[in-house]
Amino acid sequence: MNINASYTFNASPQAVWDLLVDIDAVAACLPGLESLEPAGDNRYRAVLTMGIAAVTGRYEGTVELQDLDPPNAYRLAVEGRGKPGFVNGGAAIALRDTGGATEVTVEGTVQVGGTIARVGQRLLGSVSKMMMDRFFACLQKRVG
Amino acid sequence: MSTRIFGSGIRRREDPRLITGSATYTDDLTLPRMVHAAMLRSPHAHARITAIDTSKAAAAPGVIAVYTHADTEGGLQPAPCAWLLPDSDLKIASYHCLAKDVVRFAGDIVAVVVAESRYQAEDALELIDVGYEPLPAVTDPEAAAAEGAPKLHDEIDGNQAFHWKVAGGDVDAAFAGADVVVKDRIVQQRLIPNAMEPRAALASFVGATGELTVWNTTQNPHIVRFLTSLVLGLSEDKIRVIAPEVGGGFGSKIAAYPADFLTMFCSRKLNRPVKWTETRSENYQSTTHGRDHVQHVELAAKNDGTVLGLRCTVHAGMGAYLSTAAPGIPTILHGLMLSGVYTLPAVHEDVYGVYTNGVPVEAYRGAGRPEATFMLERMMDVLAARLDMDPADVRRKNMIPKFDDGHEVVTTLKYDSGDYPGALDKVLSHADYAGLRAKQKAGPANGTYTGLGLATYVEICGLGPSQVAGAIGFQGGLWESAIVRFHPSGKVHVFIGASPHGQGEETTFAQIVGSELGVDPQDVKVFHGDTDNTPMGWGTYGSRTTAVGGAALALTARKIRDKAKVIAAHLLEAAVEDMDYEDGKFFVKGAPDQSKTIGDIALMANVAWNMPEGVEAGLEASTFYDPPNFTFPFGAHLAVVEVDAETGAVALKRYVALDDCGPQINPVIVEGQVHGGVVQGVGQALWEEAVYDEGGQLVTGSMLDYALPRADLLPDIEVLSTVTPSPHHPLGVKGIGEAGTIASTAAVYNAVMDALRPLGVTSVRMPLTPERVWQAIQDARQAKG
């Protein structure tokens, strides 16, 4: 499943970049995040609680920032699994200066398996989008 | 034979306990020291298992044991495939009860946890750490057979489980000499059977005796016993399989499943009773599915509508492993039925059984015959449209004329009896077909298009002669047996090998005994579904329980009548050849006033105070009935639909079902079977589909997304019948359990296509959801320009 979105920040690309790779800020803004611990270069172990449709579950996995090209672009790779199944996702994130503001575009794919796939697939797109919206809205607030 | 009892629509004796919650299903049972099993199922459709760590789960509260494949080595053989299709290059992949190294469908079992409570077992599943290396998956049968497709089993090339052929007549000449050839590509989508009761097993192994008792949701307990002895390496006499109340199966309770064997294995290991009951979600991802064909069909005909030949290629998705009876479904029960009710001079079909990363596919109500009927009946309509003939006329032109005692068709089957034109004509006149067509010609009203759809069919039931079973690779017999025992009071116990699970045979079997021996059906108790307390039987599927088991029972009752007559003659001091029998009374010919009832005889036979010389005490008999041929029920169905061209919504307005199952023992039960069957067939045409995404995830994983038929979407079903007895059957009966399903998918599909014909739509993939119908209408409009 593909998920695409874009968000505008009233800040320079560098300021937005700094925020996006600031692991404390990311941890504070990720909905349902229980813990985020470093596990190598640009790699973190994450524990996340998430509900899709009637399926709420706890997922353990990794988040990795790849192909860093500050302050223009990077890739985000997420892998998680828990009782409701597994979630694998990847996103290409690009920052673009729009003159005084920065537009962040996200082109992502999500793959799920297990109970979430059987029961939650219909809602997966909208739930993923909602979580992303919340995440970026939280970061936007931090930029002020 | 008393017409009072045979043919009477008495109420089902099963129903009071079923509708008051008094019935005992497998999951209702609790044994002392019983513990609970839960299965860890793969979330991946295809992956290599890189590691399994069960230590945390093993240490969890209440957990007694956790087993993975390594623990079962030597103690558990793979779940067997028991239909070894001959001449088909059959390749059976090992279906390990616990996945070994590789998982091949989302739902394949990786580990089993046994705990004191079910909650503890389920919770512990989460603590098992399995490393998976995902592999590419394929779920479409055609794609799985294509070059470069992900390979499921290392040792099996092209994912090909088998290649089976049926050929008769000169099909090349038929096509060469044809005026018209019509073609279609038909997808018989994958369906989920949805028995009301999910599957369950309760296994109790007693180490001190070495005996295993298993309560199991099965359609065929004796087959489960046999396969259990192979899989667990236990002697058959040490195994007792009981099918208590079983809440429907539709084919999904034929297979002997890994989860059942695992439950038994755990009980044996732990020397404690172990119960496992699947959730509905687990049912969807592991209990066998049905259909899943991609069919390429060509029909050759003359300009006057005479059919010359049928040529087809079918890719049948088998799922990741071959289920117990799976290879016979898209082949024997499908390909041999391709002549339908027609005189078909030539046929050639290639069927490729293909491994895919899906749940194994098995029999589903109709099992092969709906897929054959649909192909043929769809092509009849396509031909009619091409020739601008009425679909009823094309059918009538090609129908086999009425016959009473045998008709051999091009696929080598010998139909027993039939009156196909009679069935069609009765449906047409009942429905006022001519009037409906005239109304349809008036054109659509408010964007609503009316369509009429016909489907005629003949099916193969009463499976079947055991000699044929052997010839077609079925690893068992197909006879049935019955014991009838009269008690001194004249009450009767019947012990039968067949295993009804919702079809009402406790009632119809009592009616058979009642009518043969003049006893009240209320006084006949039918025992079934327990391998220790019933004679051998081969199970309930293929509409065979009344057709084969009922014959065994009727013949047994007749043996009892013969013995009773000898005793009655003795008591009346008459010669046996001077005796007469009517309605449960034995009397000297011409002197019915002086008679002995079957009850009198039962008492005398049981006390044995005054028996004829050389006659044993007791009034009991048994029969093993091996049918000389299959039975061939048939019928004609008509659907009337309305399609809203703006929304694509299809409304089923009328449904007329004529089914000829021979003489009806209980017409109310027959009607009920037809209703249920029709609804499941309509479900395939309009609503139901098991959908996998490109990664092999079942996205219709619950009833939220898998659209089962609802009562409010269906019209009253108009049930008609004709009665054409089977010439070779002791009661003339043929079988009705699957009839409704076999014609209804084609009838409804044809009706929708008939409605869409003015809009230029000729083919839509099932199910015919509003979205698909709407899209097809848009595409046809665009193509027209």
Side-chain angles (χ1 to χ4, degrees):
Chain A
M1 176 171 304
N2 297 320
I3 295 153
N4 300 320
S6 72
Y7 303 93
T8 303
F9 286 75
N10 291 319
S12 68
Q14 187 61 50
V16 176
W17 175 270
D18 290 344
L19 191 62
L20 287 173
V21 298
D22 172 359
I23 204 62
D24 291 331
V26 168
C29 284
L30 256 182
L33 187 77
E34 286 181 22
S35 70
L36 193 68
E37 308 286 340
D41 280 353
N42 295 313
R43 194 178 148 85
Y44 305 89
R45 290 200 62 79
V47 179
L48 197 76
T49 301
M50 178 163 82
I52 298 173
V55 187
T56 304
R58 196 159 169 271
Y59 300 83
E60 289 184 37
T62 58
V63 178
E64 193 172 353
L65 310 184
Q66 303 166 337
D67 307 333
L68 297 168
D69 173 18
N72 302 312
Y74 68 101
R75 281 194 59 80
L76 188 67
V78 180
E79 265 182 36
R81 59 196 168 102
K83 186 160 188 219
F86 66 82
V87 182
N88 292 330
I93 295 168
L95 289 72
R96 190 168 64 90
D97 192 339
T98 55
T102 302
E103 188 190 32
V104 178
T105 58
V106 183
E107 288 178 13
T109 57
V110 181
Q111 205 196 347
V112 295
T115 310
I116 18 172
R118 287 196 309 282
V119 181
Q121 187 110 332
R122 264 182 322 148
L123 298 174
L124 185 66
S126 49
V127 172
S128 307
K129 178 73 170 43
M130 181 192 73
M131 286 180 62
M132 216 156 65
D133 287 349
R134 278 196 201 162
F135 174 68
F136 280 100
C138 171
L139 289 179
Q140 280 164 336
K141 274 186 202 147
R142 290 192 164 236
V143 183
Chain B
M1 185 184 301
S2 164
T3 48
R4 224 176 35 248
I5 299 170
F6 191 103
S8 161
I10 59 171
R11 288 187 177 169
R12 298 196 341 158
R13 313 175 58 187
E14 294 88 339
D15 289 348
R17 68 172 190 264
L18 293 173
I19 63 175
T20 58
S22 311
T24 304
Y25 296 86
T26 299
D27 190 53
D28 293 322
L29 296 163
T30 297
L31 295 179
R33 299 181 66 246
M34 185 177 87
V35 290
H36 300 263
M39 309 291 159
L40 182 69
R41 295 184 179 276
S42 166
H44 294 274
H46 197 192
R48 192 169 301 284
I49 300 170
T50 53
I52 308 182
D53 181 356
T54 59
S55 55
K56 272 193 220 156
V63 171
I64 296 158
V66 184
Y67 300 119
T68 63
H69 179 82
D71 302 303
T72 65
E73 293 271 16
L76 205 50
Q77 297 300 313
C81 173
W83 198 329
L84 307 182
L85 198 64
D87 307 320
S88 68
D89 197 18
L90 180 68
K91 292 198 168 65
I92 301 174
S94 292
Y95 190 0
H96 293 290
C97 295
L98 286 169
K100 184 184 181 189
D101 304 328
V102 176
V103 290
R104 295 184 177 85
F105 69 98
D108 219 351
I109 308 173
V110 175
V112 54
V113 172
V114 183
E116 294 289 347
S117 80
R118 181 159 186 194
Y119 290 105
Q120 289 169 328
E122 296 275 345
D123 284 346
L125 294 181
E126 198 174 348
L127 303 173
I128 301 173
D129 197 8
V130 185
Y132 293 106
E133 177 194 320
L135 299 167
V138 61
T139 54
D140 175 85
E142 254 183 351
E147 207 166 315
K151 194 176 186 185
L152 268 83
H153 303 280
D154 288 342
E155 68 283 12
I156 297 172
D157 288 330
N159 296 320
Q160 186 178 301
F162 56 81
H163 174 200
W164 181 87
K165 281 176 249 182
V166 60
D170 188 342
V171 85
D172 291 334
F175 276 80
D179 296 327
V180 285
V181 171
V182 288
K183 302 177 187 191
D184 203 0
R185 177 180 183 271
I186 296 165
V187 177
Q188 299 268 346
Q189 76 272 31
R190 190 180 257 266
L191 301 176
I192 299 178
N194 279 292
M196 202 180 283
E197 178 208 23
R199 294 192 334 94
L202 166 58
S204 177
F205 182 80
V206 178
T209 61
E211 290 179 351
L212 173 70
T213 305
V214 185
W215 290 262
N216 190 207
T217 50
T218 177
Q219 301 176 212
N220 29 252
H222 290 89
I223 293 181
V224 172
R225 179 181 65 175
F226 172 60
L227 296 177
T228 296
S229 76
L230 299 179
V231 172
L232 271 85
L234 274 171
S235 169
E236 200 175 4
D237 65 302
K238 300 278 193 188
I239 305 167
R240 177 182 182 186
V241 178
I242 301 169
E245 205 77 69
V246 177
F250 312 119
S252 72
K253 290 171 183 169
I254 291 175
Y257 286 87
D260 302 338
F261 294 129
L262 280 171
T263 306
M264 302 176 206
F265 170 84
C266 291
S267 176
R268 191 182 187 183
K269 273 266 193 193
L270 301 171
N271 202 20
R272 291 181 75 167
V274 179
K275 183 158 81 178
W276 166 77
T277 303
E278 69 180 3
T279 60
R280 182 61 64 181
S281 171
E282 212 174 1
N283 174 277
Y284 271 36
Q285 59 174 316
S286 65
T287 290
T288 55
H289 293 175
R291 314 278 189 263
D292 203 17
H293 286 199
V294 179
Q295 309 170 326
H296 289 269
V297 197
E298 290 178 285
L299 186 76
K302 291 202 276 195
N303 274 333
D304 67 355
T306 305
V307 170
L308 299 172
L310 182 73
R311 194 157 55 189
C312 27
T313 302
V314 171
H315 285 89
M318 306 310 293
Y321 308 97
L322 294 178
S323 180
T324 312
I329 312 300
T331 52
I332 305 296
L333 296 178
H334 166 79
L336 297 185
M337 295 310 297
L338 287 177
S339 191
V341 298
Y342 307 111
T343 302
L344 180 68
V347 65
H348 184 101
E349 185 186 47
D350 288 284
V351 180
Y352 298 92
V354 185
Y355 287 108
T356 65
N357 294 107
V359 172
V361 174
E362 253 284 0
Y364 171 54
R365 203 170 191 171
R369 290 153 283 171
E371 297 94 313
T373 300
F374 190 99
M375 270 166 58
L376 199 53
E377 291 301 303
R378 180 61 202 143
M379 295 322 287
M380 283 290 167
D381 266 33
V382 174
L383 177 64
R386 168 73 73 87
L387 298 174
D388 209 19
M389 288 175 72
D390 190 279
D393 294 336
V394 172
R395 285 178 170 78
R396 205 181 280 112
K397 184 158 198 79
N398 290 287
M399 272 182 174
I400 299 164
K402 183 177 192 299
F403 61 100
D404 297 322
D405 195 15
H407 177 91
E408 193 169 321
V409 292
V410 68
T411 59
T412 71
L413 288 175
K414 192 178 175 192
Y415 295 172
D416 54 354
S417 59
D419 180 6
Y420 312 138
L424 179 64
D425 288 343
K426 190 168 175 180
V427 165
L428 298 183
S429 72
H430 168 88
D432 183 22
Y433 184 75
L436 291 169
R437 280 287 180 216
K439 245 189 248 171
Q440 187 190 27
K441 285 227 168 69
N446 302 323
T448 300
Y449 290 75
T450 299
L452 308 180
L454 281 170
T456 58
Y457 76 94
V458 56
E459 59 157 329
I460 182 169
C461 289
L463 314 182
S466 298
Q467 204 182 352
V468 175
I472 60 179
F474 185 81
Q475 299 300 293
L478 283 171
W479 45 266
E480 284 300 329
S481 61
I483 297 168
V484 175
R485 178 178 301 156
F486 268 80
H487 298 292
S489 58
K491 311 281 181 185
V492 185
H493 279 177
V494 167
F495 302 89
I496 193 123
S499 193
H501 48 279
Q503 297 86 351
E505 271 113 352
E506 288 175 31
T507 308
T508 43
F509 284 168
Q511 285 179 271
I512 290 174
V513 174
S515 67
E516 293 289 336
L517 291 168
V519 295
D520 185 338
Q522 288 298 330
D523 292 338
V524 182
K525 183 171 177 186
V526 178
F527 293 82
H528 60 83
D530 180 341
T531 60
D532 267 13
N533 291 336
T534 61
M536 180 72 186
W538 292 98
T540 289
Y541 42 79
S543 299
R544 65 186 300 278
T545 292
T546 303
V548 186
L553 189 54
L555 294 178
T556 308
R558 288 171 195 177
K559 283 180 187 169
I560 288 202
R561 201 157 74 198
D562 290 343
K563 179 175 180 177
K565 196 187 263 187
V566 173
I567 298 169
H570 175 70
L571 295 176
L572 292 169
E573 299 178 344
V576 175
E577 48 281 9
D578 292 336
M579 294 298 294
D580 215 342
Y581 166 84
E582 205 179 300
D583 280 357
K585 288 187 179 133
F586 299 86
F587 50 87
V588 179
K589 279 176 190 153
D593 295 348
Q594 286 274 324
S595 69
K596 293 286 173 191
T597 66
I598 189 76
D600 298 334
I601 310 291
L603 178 60
M604 179 52 69
N606 274 287
V607 297
W609 291 342
N610 181 14
M611 293 287 279
E613 207 178 314
V615 175
E616 285 178 11
L619 193 58
E620 174 170 333
S622 69
T623 303
F624 289 78
Y625 175 77
D626 202 339
N629 189 5
F630 303 95
T631 57
F632 294 89
F634 61 91
H637 288 202
L638 172 72
V640 182
V641 302
E642 285 179 3
V643 181
D644 183 335
E646 288 306 306
T647 63
V650 175
L652 182 57
K653 304 305 285 184
R654 268 187 88 181
Y655 200 90
V656 182
L658 184 148
D659 297 282
D660 188 327
C661 59
Q664 299 183 2
I665 300 166
N666 186 320
V668 174
I669 288 180
V670 167
E671 193 170 337
Q673 289 294 316
V674 170
H675 278 191
V678 164
V679 169
Q680 282 178 305
V682 174
Q684 178 178 3
L686 298 183
W687 305 300
E688 297 186 42
E689 181 173 20
V691 181
Y692 285 101
D693 71 10
E694 66 276 14
Q697 297 294 330
L698 180 66
V699 297
T700 52
S702 79
M703 288 184 191
L704 281 174
D705 297 289
Y706 187 89
L708 281 175
R710 292 198 321 252
D712 64 323
L713 298 172
L714 293 151
D716 282 341
I717 297 166
E718 300 163 52
V719 177
L720 311 176
S721 61
T722 52
V723 176
T724 308
S726 174
H728 66 69
H729 190 280
L731 299 169
V733 306
K734 292 187 170 187
I736 192 65
E738 296 160 289
T741 324
I742 291 169
S744 52
T745 308
V748 171
Y749 184 91
N750 279 339
V752 176
M753 291 307 122
D754 185 53
L756 297 176
R757 214 178 136 203
L759 298 167
V761 175
T762 55
S763 184
V764 184
R765 197 186 187 285
M766 290 189 289
L768 303 173
T769 58
E771 184 194 4
R772 282 191 184 148
V773 171
W774 182 86
Q775 191 59 55
I777 294 170
Q778 307 313 310
D779 292 349
R781 276 187 188 148
Q782 285 206 336
K784 269 190 197 168

